[in-house]
Amino acid sequence: MTDTADAVLARTPTAPAPPAPRRYGLRTALMMTASGWSANQFAALLGAYRAGAGLSDAAVNALLAVYAVGLIPGLLAAAPLSDRYGRRPVALGALALNAVATLLLMLGAGSVFWLGPGRLLTGISAGALLAAGGAWVKELSSPPYAPAGTETVAARRSGVFVSLGFASGGLAAALIAQWAPHPMVLAYLPHLVLAVLAWGLAQGSPETCPVGRGRTAGGTEFGRTAQDTASGRTAARTGARTPAARPGFWRALLPMAPWVFAGPMVGFATLPGLVDGGLRGWEVVYAGVATAVVPGAGVAVQPLARRLSLRSRLLSAVAGMLVMAGGFGLAGAAAAYQQPVLGLVAGAVLGAGYGLVLTYGLGTTAALAAPGGLARLTSYFWSLAYLGMFAPLLLSMLGNTFAVPGLLAGAGVLAVVCCALLVLLNRPCRVGTR
């Protein structure tokens, strides 16, 4: 090699070496726990708001729905923002807003006026965390930021940590509300502590999608090929919008996604109010236990979900939908016979179904994401999933005309129909089969 060639190579910019694998994925995953905690700390206090603040069933179900109203725009806005400005600033900003929303809910102890804005901001911030934070956690849990062979863990990690937040937040809030003074204030303090801790752990983690689509000095991105990067530059020059998903995304997820949260919401938001007739004085604790049992079962079923996914992601979806259908049947029986124990069993079954379908949804989303489209596609999936949060409000409205136990049994039948539709739409192309 000549001196001239050496000089040219010395002037040629090269891509920096990937960072050494560290536990960045785990450090940022606590943000997802804060997101789940913020959602369920309110749900566990519904009985207390009915008794202490005099809110009607319709009012508390509307406040549950307000969360979803804020969450879906938060999801859809945060995804493109994180693609443009980076995962880190959007996720950390959403975490700060999540803490502000909890402060507004604490003000609601003195005036219920603050509950609506607090729930709306909780939804917006949680949605932004699911989109930007979920993509950040997934990317930091994958090579080159994590050892090779962690791809399966990376796809499931954000969902597991969100579920841990769902399970912990409701139970902690209920226990504080049952025995501590000033329950509508003190019940929210643990989330503020968790948000500060999550911020401290996450703020030292690197950006995985820098401004300019994560281009390095050499013109490529970590984890993307030169061809993918070149396609992105071409789309940027022509003004074309890069598709977020490869073909098959909508048929693989649309029949299933709303059930992801329809089942859990019925398990911990609707059932406790239907079976608490024999729990005089313990309604708040029972609601808190329900909010822990439902997502807790979703976490406990993860080893089974992983084994099923190794055979076929579609198999985990089918199992989850059928388990959830059985949970709705048990929920109808618990409501009909006013059985609190059976209500918890039904909630656990609904939670197990939730864990299975969530694993399928996140895994399929990651598999079908186009280069540079993970955050956008993640926001689409969560938006579809959170439509299920309107289930308690829908049951409350229909309950004025129809018997609620019958409605719950009907939901189980509808889950089986949607499961059959999912198989029919996806079996020919064997979506996710390994």
Side-chain angles (χ1 to χ4, degrees):
M1 185 177 292
T2 65
D3 292 340
T4 302
D6 289 339
V8 170
L9 287 175
R11 294 193 299 269
T12 302
T14 58
R22 297 180 63 180
R23 302 178 76 84
Y24 289 123
L26 283 174
R27 292 171 60 180
T28 52
L30 196 61
M31 295 190 309
M32 312 309 293
T33 302
S35 173
W37 189 296
S38 69
N40 266 18
Q41 62 182 351
F42 180 84
L45 300 175
L46 295 183
Y49 279 114
R50 289 187 187 101
L55 296 180
S56 66
D57 288 345
V60 295
N61 285 327
L63 286 170
L64 284 174
V66 164
Y67 171 84
V69 169
L71 185 138
I72 293 175
L75 280 164
L76 298 178
L81 286 174
S82 73
D83 285 342
R84 181 171 182 178
Y85 298 107
R87 314 287 192 226
R88 188 175 183 276
V90 177
L92 291 177
L95 183 59
L97 185 61
N98 200 237
V100 171
T102 291
L103 290 173
L104 292 180
L105 292 175
M106 294 170 75
L107 291 176
S111 172
V112 295
F113 167 80
W114 295 105
L115 294 179
R119 287 294 290 168
L120 184 65
L121 285 184
T122 300
I124 293 171
S125 59
L129 278 171
L130 287 172
W136 197 23
V137 170
K138 193 267 181 187
E139 290 162 357
L140 287 174
S141 303
S142 306
Y145 300 97
T150 57
E151 289 78 3
T152 301
V153 173
R156 297 185 297 117
R157 178 166 283 167
S158 64
V160 170
F161 275 80
V162 167
S163 298
L164 287 173
F166 286 148
S168 305
L171 181 59
L175 294 177
I176 292 172
Q178 182 71 33
W179 286 294
H182 312 294
M184 299 310 170
V185 175
L186 295 182
Y188 293 111
L189 281 181
H191 176 256
L192 293 180
V193 174
L194 177 62
V196 171
L197 179 60
W199 174 283
L201 289 174
Q203 58 87 28
S205 299
E207 177 60 72
T208 58
C209 183
V211 177
R213 307 295 300 167
R215 213 174 299 161
T216 67
T220 60
E221 300 176 35
F222 293 135
R224 295 182 64 191
T225 64
Q227 182 179 1
D228 291 338
T229 307
S231 300
R233 288 197 295 265
T234 301
R237 285 196 300 269
T238 60
R241 182 174 176 83
T242 305
R246 295 183 172 93
F249 173 77
W250 297 106
R251 70 169 178 265
L253 291 174
L254 189 56
M256 177 279 304
W259 294 96
V260 170
F261 285 111
M265 288 300 294
V266 168
F268 62 68
T270 299
L271 264 183
L274 297 175
V275 300
D276 65 1
L279 298 168
R280 300 301 179 191
W282 295 90
E283 292 90 347
V284 174
V285 171
Y286 180 84
V289 171
T291 60
V293 165
V294 175
V299 175
V301 81
Q302 287 305 304
L304 174 61
R306 184 173 182 272
R307 287 196 295 271
L308 293 175
S309 295
L310 288 174
R311 296 180 60 187
S312 166
R313 272 192 294 271
L314 187 59
L315 181 60
S316 66
V318 171
M321 293 289 284
L322 294 179
V323 168
M324 198 169 290
F328 276 110
L330 290 173
Y337 295 102
Q338 289 282 300
Q339 292 294 322
V341 174
L342 185 57
L344 290 179
V345 172
V349 175
L350 289 169
Y354 151 80
L356 291 167
V357 294
L358 181 62
T359 295
Y360 167 79
L362 290 173
T364 301
T365 299
L368 295 179
L374 178 61
R376 263 190 294 157
L377 204 63
T378 300
S379 73
Y380 297 162
F381 165 69
W382 284 117
S383 296
L384 291 172
Y386 269 96
L387 290 175
M389 289 202 71
F390 291 98
L393 182 61
L394 183 61
L395 284 172
S396 177
M397 294 170 59
L398 293 176
N400 295 324
T401 306
F402 304 98
V404 174
L407 291 173
L408 293 171
V413 174
L414 185 58
V416 173
V417 172
C418 289
C419 178
L421 180 62
L422 182 71
V423 172
L424 182 65
L425 290 175
N426 295 283
R427 189 174 182 180
C429 60
R430 296 175 63 82
V431 170
T433 300
R434 295 176 183 266

